[in-house]
Amino acid sequence: MTETASEEVTEAQLKKEFDDLYMHIFKYIGDFVSIPTQKYNLTFEAFMVMDNVARSKNGQTLVELAKLEGVSKSAIARQVNVLLKEIM
């Protein structure tokens, strides 16, 4: 069966559909994994920072935490600031 011009999907359309689906799934996975931490007013990312610090024997620097989490130092600093606001 041959496709007509109206049935052809362009690469741009496929990319947009993929991006939309990816962002939809990513958002709901993020919401789902954050359910247990919401009652403590924490994001899942902040919980992971706490977990890494708790598991370390000698504490963690921001650089070490960033490497463990695979994010930038500024992203870790934001999470630490959220945690510090919660305890003050």
Side-chain angles (χ1 to χ4, degrees):
M1 180 173 160
T2 3
E3 290 184 342
T4 66
S6 63
E7 293 175 339
E8 292 179 16
V9 178
T10 67
E11 186 176 333
Q13 289 170 319
L14 283 175
K15 183 182 181 321
K16 182 183 178 337
E17 287 180 28
F18 173 82
D19 291 348
D20 291 346
L21 182 60
Y22 179 83
M23 293 308 293
H24 178 78
I25 291 169
F26 186 71
K27 178 192 179 305
Y28 288 106
I29 287 174
D31 291 347
F32 179 72
V33 298
S34 294
I35 290 171
T37 61
Q38 286 174 351
K39 67 181 176 181
Y40 303 106
N41 201 28
L42 294 175
T43 63
F44 183 71
E45 292 81 8
F47 171 78
M48 293 302 295
V49 170
M50 285 179 22
D51 186 59
N52 280 319
V53 170
R55 291 175 186 270
S56 70
K57 292 183 171 118
N58 301 317
Q60 297 283 330
T61 66
L62 289 178
V63 172
E64 292 167 334
L65 286 169
K67 284 181 184 176
L68 283 170
E69 296 293 322
V71 297
S72 67
K73 290 182 284 185
S74 61
I76 288 296
R78 283 190 299 273
Q79 292 300 329
V80 169
N81 285 333
V82 167
L83 293 168
L84 289 173
K85 285 179 185 175
E86 286 299 314
I87 62 171
M88 294 185 169

